[in-house]
């Protein structure tokens, strides 16, 4: 059923001149940044925790998000945590 819906949406978009910006199946390199993030999120959060309720999931995911965005080192920042990078570069 899912593939049928996918095809229907693609056909409708084509017939109505709508350009869809999607990652093609089997071509994750079309958006490597988000694919890398998705891998990290899955490996470091989703595969590590049991979610006992929606509130529990929200809390655990938020804690992971804060750690990822503030405390964890990133190679794109010279292996410095975003918070540290900001503090070192915001003092002009």
């Amino acid at each position: 059923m899912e593939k049928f819906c996918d095809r229907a949406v693609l056909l409708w978009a084509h017939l109505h001149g709508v350009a869809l910006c999607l990652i093609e199946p089997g071509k994750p390199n079309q958006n490597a940044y988000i694919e890398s993030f998705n891998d990290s999120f899955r490996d470091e959060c989703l595969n590590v925790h049991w979610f006992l309720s929606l509130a529990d999931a929200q809390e655990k995911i938020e804690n992971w998000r804060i750690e990822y965005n503030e405390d964890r080192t990133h190679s794109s920042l010279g292996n410095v945590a975003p918070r540290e990078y900001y503090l070192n570069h915001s003092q002009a």
Side-chain angles (χ1 to χ4, degrees), residues 13-74:
H14 176 75
L15 293 174
H16 291 86
V18 174
L20 298 176
C21 297
L22 304 171
I23 297 173
E24 295 176 67
K27 303 212 178 202
N29 58 338
Q30 290 178 344
N31 193 345
Y33 170 77
I34 196 63
E35 289 298 318
S36 175
F37 172 82
N38 287 343
D39 285 344
S40 295
F41 181 59
R42 184 174 35 257
D43 291 343
E44 299 168 13
C45 186
L46 298 179
N47 290 346
V48 173
H49 298 289
W50 285 93
F51 301 116
L52 305 175
S53 66
L54 180 57
D56 182 50
Q58 289 170 328
E59 179 181 350
K60 289 173 179 170
I61 291 169
E62 179 65 6
N63 289 338
W64 181 86
R65 184 193 68 78
I66 290 169
E67 191 272 332
Y68 182 87
N69 286 323
E70 296 179 11
D71 302 325
R72 170 186 167 162
T73 60
H74 292 264

